[in-house]
């Protein structure tokens, strides 16, 4: 496992290493430049002296004394800092400065030679001029001043590197120590917050924004979890309640029959009728619950491509509801586009969705009205609309009707059979098939449910 302090220290070491490396590089460039400039000074002086000595023969012919010639040449020499020019002629020394380094033991050499560890650079050669004795020439560049600057630079760089290293370690420690309390704080908070104490105040002073946002994300995650858990608990409670009611009724009537507490056969038949109805209700409820859990565990619609004939599918479903509709004197009008659709839509789910919506449309319609079922294709979208002229749904109830076990105005609905799961099943299936469902409704005028599903092609 990585440790924050180690990682911080590592990054500081890398920084110090880069810094030291560039310091050394700069010093190297500086030393090379120093040597180059010094050699250039000596070469320039040498070229100039060559030129002056070339004129010696001519000047000697004009009887100019040799002393004057040497002094003239030295005076004409370019004045460069720390460059000494020394002529040795017949044991007599002519120099541009009295403080030239006399103790230097210079051997004759073709090129520029280094003396000591960058103490001096020098050129030593003999020059032959017609008519006079050979001249011994020394051009010496004193590098001691530059060398001191160079070593001082190394010293300063070294001290600076050590200083930054110490500062780096200090900062990384300080930074690490700054992190520890907020991290402990996060630990404490996350240990303290649970699904029941989501509203607990989180102390955010002296904490880093990044850490606070972690705490908030954690709280958000928990509140999403809580919503899910609450919804699940609600679902289990509602399911248990809905299951318990028919079971209690069935149990009660069976006990009555068992104890012989009925007047005549007619009453017995009435009791058995109730038991049968409640068993049917129980059956519906269990089927709906199984269907819901099945949708949640499957992504069936997205796996396979199916070809579905719209007229066949709709006619099959509508034929199942015709009898119930006739009982209420309700006419089912259809306008189904005569095509087959190619899509990821599961035919079984499509039947369930349309069936549930037609069932509701009939259930909640006024007698002697009609239900309109339309299916059309537009821009590779299947649009299904199921319209009724029934009791309608209030605006503020519209969203809730898709919740599990939700039934608008339970007292009104007590007369109409239902589990409160039908629309929840419809919505879950539609969403699972990446479709949309919308509802428009006006109280006492009727409702229209519109479904939109993507298709791939039509045939
Ligand atoms: P139910 O089994 O009660 O019909 P649903 O989930 O299918 O359960 O519907 C939830 C509630 O929405 C219903 O109880 C009803 O109050 C309302 N509802 C659904 N469809 C219609 C409709 N076509 N007209 C009026 N109300 C409707």
């Amino acid at each position: 496992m990585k440790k924050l302090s180690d990682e911080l220290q590592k990054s500081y070491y890398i920084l110090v290493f880069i810094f030291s490396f560039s310091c050394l590089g700069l010093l190297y460039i500086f030393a090379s430049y120093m040597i180059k400039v010094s050699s250039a000074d000596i070469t320039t002086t040498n070229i100039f002296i060559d030129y002056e000595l070339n004129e010696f023969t001519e000047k000697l012919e004009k009887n100019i004394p040799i002393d004057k010639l040497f002094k003239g040449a030295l005076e004409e020499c370019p004045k460069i800092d720390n460059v000494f020019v020394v002529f040795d002629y017949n044991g007599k020394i002519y120099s541009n400065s009295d403080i030239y380094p006399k103790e230097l033991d210079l051997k004759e050499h073709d090129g520029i030679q280094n003396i000591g560890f960058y103490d001096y650079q020098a050129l030593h050669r003999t020059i032959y001029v017609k008519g006079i004795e050979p001249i011994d020439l020394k051009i010496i560049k004193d590098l001691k001043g530059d060398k001191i600057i160079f070593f001082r630079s190394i010293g300063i760089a070294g001290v600076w590197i050590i200083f930054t290293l110490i500062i780096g370690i200090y900062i990384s420690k300080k930074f690490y120590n700054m992190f520890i309390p907020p991290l402990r704080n996060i630990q404490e908070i996350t240990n303290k917050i649970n699904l029941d104490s989501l509203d607990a105040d989180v102390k955010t002073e002296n904490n880093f924004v990044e850490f606070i946002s972690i705490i908030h994300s954690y709280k958000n995650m928990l509140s999403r979890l809580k919503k899910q858990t609450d919804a699940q608990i609600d679902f289990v409670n509602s399911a248990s309640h809905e299951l318990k009611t028919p079971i209690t009724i069935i149990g009660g009537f069976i006990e009555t029959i068992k104890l012989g507490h009925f007047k005549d056969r007619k009453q017995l038949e009435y009791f058995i009728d109730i038991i049968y109805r409640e068993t049917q209700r129980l059956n519906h409820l269990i089927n709906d619950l199984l269907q819901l859990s099945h949708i949640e565990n499957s992504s069936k619609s997205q796996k396979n491509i199916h070809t579905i004939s719209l007229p066949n599918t709709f006619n099959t479903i509508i034929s199942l509801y015709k009898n119930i509709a006739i009982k209420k004197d309700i006419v089912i009008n259809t306008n189904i586009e005569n095509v087959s659709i190619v899509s990821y839509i599961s035919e079984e789910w499509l039947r369930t969705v349309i069936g549930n919506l037609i069932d509701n449309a009939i259930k909640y319609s006024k007698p002697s009205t009609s239900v309109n079922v339309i299916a059309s294709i537009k821009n590779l979208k299947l649009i299904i609309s199921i319209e009724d002229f029934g009791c309608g749904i209030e605006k503020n109830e519209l969203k809730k009707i898709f919740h599990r076990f939700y039934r608008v105005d339970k007292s009104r609905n007590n007369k109409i059979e239902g589990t409160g799961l039908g629309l929840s099943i419809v919505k879950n299936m539609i969403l699972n098939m990446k479709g949309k469902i919308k509802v428009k409704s006006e109280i006492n005028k009727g409702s229209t449910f519109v479904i939109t599903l993507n298709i791939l092609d039509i045939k």
Side-chain angles (χ1 to χ4, degrees):
M1 246 200 288
K2 283 183 185 173
K3 214 173 157 196
L4 194 63
S5 60
D6 292 346
E7 290 302 307
L8 277 171
Q9 207 133 326
K10 221 192 274 174
S11 49
Y12 274 109
Y13 285 148
I14 292 170
L15 273 179
V16 168
F17 173 75
I18 294 170
F19 181 71
S20 319
F21 199 70
S22 31
C23 268
L24 290 175
L26 280 176
L27 286 174
Y28 175 75
I29 292 168
F30 177 60
S32 311
Y33 177 74
M34 207 174 84
I35 297 299
K36 206 174 160 193
V37 168
S38 152
S39 305
D41 287 349
I42 293 174
T43 311
T44 314
T45 312
N46 184 38
I47 293 168
F48 191 84
I49 283 169
D50 265 350
Y51 176 77
E52 282 292 313
L53 292 183
N54 274 341
E55 291 183 345
F56 261 34
T57 323
E58 204 182 303
K59 285 178 182 169
L60 280 168
E61 279 167 7
K62 287 181 190 165
N63 285 331
I64 299 175
I66 194 105
D67 272 9
K68 212 172 173 184
L69 286 181
F70 279 120
K71 279 175 190 160
L74 287 170
E75 256 165 41
E76 294 298 322
C77 242
K79 308 280 178 284
I80 300 171
D81 276 351
N82 300 323
V83 173
F84 303 104
V85 180
V86 184
F87 293 114
D88 185 345
Y89 181 70
N90 278 343
K92 193 165 179 194
I93 303 292
Y94 300 92
S95 160
N96 63 349
S97 168
D98 292 338
I99 52 158
Y100 75 90
K102 299 179 180 82
E103 74 286 356
L104 276 189
D105 176 27
L106 290 179
K107 288 176 187 77
E108 226 166 295
H109 197 277
D110 268 352
I112 296 166
Q113 50 190 303
N114 286 316
I115 294 121
F117 182 67
Y118 294 108
D119 286 335
Y120 297 99
Q121 272 202 320
L123 183 76
H124 184 200
R125 66 186 185 114
T126 306
I127 304 167
Y128 298 94
V129 178
K130 206 174 138 196
I132 57 169
E133 293 294 312
I135 305 164
D136 183 75
L137 169 67
K138 286 173 190 157
I139 303 170
I140 304 160
K141 168 88 184 187
D142 186 349
L143 293 174
K144 277 183 189 151
D146 292 344
K147 194 172 138 179
I148 288 167
I149 294 174
F150 177 70
F151 279 116
R152 269 188 198 152
S153 307
I154 290 182
I156 290 169
V159 170
W160 186 240
I161 288 166
I162 293 166
F163 178 70
T164 48
L165 197 73
I166 293 166
I167 290 275
I169 293 167
Y170 172 74
I171 290 176
S172 70
K173 280 225 167 100
K174 199 167 171 182
F175 210 55
Y176 177 69
N177 289 339
M178 269 159 76
F179 268 131
I180 291 302
L183 280 173
R184 293 230 169 92
N185 193 7
I186 289 187
Q187 211 175 1
E188 263 171 45
I189 290 166
T190 48
N191 281 343
K192 240 192 275 168
I193 301 176
N194 56 43
L195 289 182
D196 297 321
S197 63
L198 273 176
D199 300 329
D201 209 19
V202 176
K203 277 185 195 157
T204 49
E205 65 264 22
N206 298 330
N207 212 329
F208 293 98
V209 182
E210 292 82 352
F211 292 166
I212 294 168
S213 74
I214 292 176
I215 298 170
H216 285 308
S217 308
Y218 179 73
K219 280 185 86 176
N220 284 342
M221 186 195 74
L222 281 186
S223 85
R224 282 198 306 275
L225 257 174
K226 186 173 166 53
K227 262 191 198 157
Q228 269 177 13
T229 320
D230 285 352
Q232 249 155 5
I233 293 170
D234 261 11
F235 177 69
V236 173
N237 284 342
S238 307
S240 321
H241 177 77
E242 295 294 323
L243 288 168
K244 207 177 143 198
T245 314
I247 291 171
T248 315
I249 294 172
I250 293 167
F253 278 100
I254 289 178
E255 202 177 330
T256 312
I257 294 167
K258 214 175 134 190
L259 296 172
H261 292 169
F262 53 89
K263 289 186 214 145
D264 48 28
R265 193 176 163 78
K266 214 173 160 197
Q267 200 180 28
L268 177 69
E269 273 171 15
Y270 172 69
F271 288 169
I272 292 173
D273 223 39
I274 292 174
I275 292 170
Y276 175 71
R277 222 181 50 219
E278 289 305 314
T279 317
Q280 290 282 90
R281 196 165 119 78
L282 208 55
N283 197 23
H284 279 149
L285 199 66
I286 290 167
N287 275 343
D288 282 356
L289 286 172
L290 285 174
Q291 209 157 22
L292 259 180
S293 90
H294 174 65
I295 306 166
E296 263 150 39
N297 294 329
S298 108
S299 53
K300 185 178 185 172
S301 56
Q302 290 301 309
K303 276 182 193 155
N304 304 314
I305 294 176
H306 313 272
T307 305
I308 305 168
S309 153
L310 289 185
N312 283 354
T313 310
F314 275 84
N315 288 338
T316 317
I317 303 160
I318 288 164
S319 67
L320 297 175
Y321 291 94
K322 269 225 164 104
N323 281 342
I324 315 169
I326 288 167
K327 274 187 203 160
K328 273 182 92 177
D329 191 23
I330 288 169
V331 182
I332 303 177
N333 300 316
T334 54
N335 183 2
I336 312 298
E337 205 159 315
N338 191 11
V339 288
S340 289
I341 53 163
V342 181
S343 69
Y344 288 107
I345 300 169
S346 139
E347 187 168 359
E348 189 194 326
W349 282 16
L350 187 64
R351 279 171 196 241
T352 310
V353 165
I354 304 165
N356 277 357
L357 292 179
I358 292 177
D359 184 40
N360 277 352
I362 299 169
K363 268 198 309 193
Y364 300 105
S365 269
K366 292 168 193 159
S368 310
T369 53
S370 59
V371 169
N372 299 330
V373 182
I374 304 168
S376 58
I377 307 290
K378 211 175 179 187
N379 300 331
L380 285 184
K381 282 190 193 317
L382 166 64
I383 301 162
I384 301 167
S385 147
I386 293 160
E387 183 186 24
D388 67 63
F389 302 93
C391 58
I393 306 154
E394 275 195 49
K395 247 196 177 140
N396 58 346
E397 306 273 5
L398 280 179
K399 270 197 179 158
K400 299 185 216 160
I401 57 170
F402 294 101
H403 295 177
R404 290 159 179 182
F405 296 110
Y406 191 82
R407 305 197 75 201
V408 179
D409 189 355
K410 292 222 168 183
S411 57
R412 180 188 80 184
N413 274 348
N414 270 348
K415 290 174 212 130
I416 305 170
E417 279 189 10
T419 59
L421 289 173
L423 286 182
S424 176
I425 292 172
V426 168
K427 189 165 184 184
N428 275 299
M429 284 185 168
I430 296 292
L431 292 183
N432 219 303
M433 293 189 284
K434 310 272 181 278
K436 280 179 195 155
I437 180 161
K438 277 184 185 163
V439 53
K440 270 191 292 179
S441 190
E442 219 176 307
I443 205 87
N444 283 327
K445 285 207 169 153
S447 318
T448 310
F449 286 81
V450 181
I451 291 167
T452 314
L453 287 163
N454 292 326
I455 59 166
L456 301 170
D457 202 359
I458 48 170
K459 280 185 181 170

